[in-house]
Amino acid sequence: MRIPALALFLLAPMAVHAEEDAPPPAATASVARLFNHLPYGEADPTALLPVPSLPGCTMAREVVGDLERLLSAARAEGVDLGAASCFRSVAYQRRVFCAGAGNCDAVAAQRARFVAPPGYSEHATGYAIDFVQRGGDCRAVEQCFFLTPGGQWLMKRGPEFGFELSFPAGNKQGVGWEPWHWRWTSTPAARARFAFAQASFPALPAAQIKTAAGHEVRPPSLETAPGGGIYAVSTSRWGAAILLASSATLRP
């Protein structure tokens, strides 16, 4: 009996820790993608810390301070943000990717629109988080998050705390629009982990980066997005509603 290629991939043992001293791939390097997702190693467990304000959430230790400041700033403005998912191991990602599927290989391409295959998730780095709006009508990891106070607040202020939207609407990577999924890139190590993604498929909004001189490099605006506005997102409720309707994709 012939075993599907993806099944072999899912069953094969995977290297769970990225080499700490491995150089980031050059922007022009060839990177093997799976269903448009990029490969990522798994963070060293000793480099992870729990996030005090988010029970059950573990992130890379250097992320925790900025994340706590982000959550505090949001609360000060009446926005209550929570987390649906933080660090996820490769083994856990395998269970998530195949959840509820009788034949994981048969539905892989559909699931990969919004769920990364194991070994290809930013969550395994410890730098990515899925935010949720607490107390609202929008369920976790749904595109309606963009319309919530939390979603709107993150679009305006998330970059101040080193976070950027990995998969904006219309992204060139070909991954579904995920307004809830943000990655942190405030240190050289974090930027190295996402070097290829940032060079080839820029986030929008992108994280603000502080230079050695103490100046901040601000992210591109939604109106001046690269690629002739392919990433542009309207922040008006009417425009956002149209975008939600036009970009609706059946979730697995």
Side-chain angles (χ1 to χ4, degrees), residues 69-81 133 149-150 152-158 160-161:
R69 284 186 284 274
L70 179 152
L71 295 170
S72 178
R75 286 194 299 269
E77 296 185 35
V79 176
D80 192 9
L81 286 168
Q133 171 68 58
Q152 294 286 290
W153 189 91
L154 284 168
M155 292 296 289
K156 295 176 181 177
R157 299 204 55 194
E160 296 176 24
F161 301 90

Side-chain angles (χ1 to χ4, degrees), residues 136-160:
D137 296 329
C138 182
R139 296 183 302 173
V141 296
E142 293 289 346
Q143 291 176 332
C144 55
F145 176 74
F146 178 75
L147 293 175
T148 67
Q152 294 286 290
W153 189 91
L154 284 168
M155 292 296 289
K156 295 176 181 177
R157 299 204 55 194
E160 296 176 24

Side-chain angles (χ1 to χ4, degrees), residues 19-161:
E19 295 294 333
E20 294 297 327
D21 56 354
T28 56
S30 176
V31 174
R33 289 195 282 162
L34 184 61
F35 301 120
N36 294 329
H37 290 275
L38 297 168
Y40 292 103
E42 182 177 309
D44 184 339
T46 64
L48 301 171
L49 285 177
V51 180
S53 296
L54 300 173
C57 176
T58 301
M59 300 284 287
R61 65 175 67 246
E62 60 266 37
V63 180
V64 175
D66 275 350
L67 179 54
E68 284 286 280
R69 284 186 284 274
L70 179 152
L71 295 170
S72 178
R75 286 194 299 269
E77 296 185 35
V79 176
D80 192 9
L81 286 168
S85 186
C86 301
F87 166 76
R88 294 202 301 245
S89 68
V90 172
Y92 182 85
Q93 189 70 24
R94 184 177 292 109
R95 294 194 296 272
V96 171
F97 189 74
C98 296
N103 183 343
C104 190
D105 187 66
V107 297
Q110 180 186 1
R111 294 192 64 78
R113 280 287 293 162
F114 289 97
V115 183
Y120 290 75
S121 173
E122 293 185 346
H123 286 285
T125 68
Y127 293 125
I129 180 171
D130 290 345
F131 287 103
V132 296
Q133 171 68 58
R134 288 172 169 163
D137 296 329
C138 182
R139 296 183 302 173
V141 296
E142 293 289 346
Q143 291 176 332
C144 55
F145 176 74
F146 178 75
L147 293 175
T148 67
Q152 294 286 290
W153 189 91
L154 284 168
M155 292 296 289
K156 295 176 181 177
R157 299 204 55 194
E160 296 176 24
F161 301 90

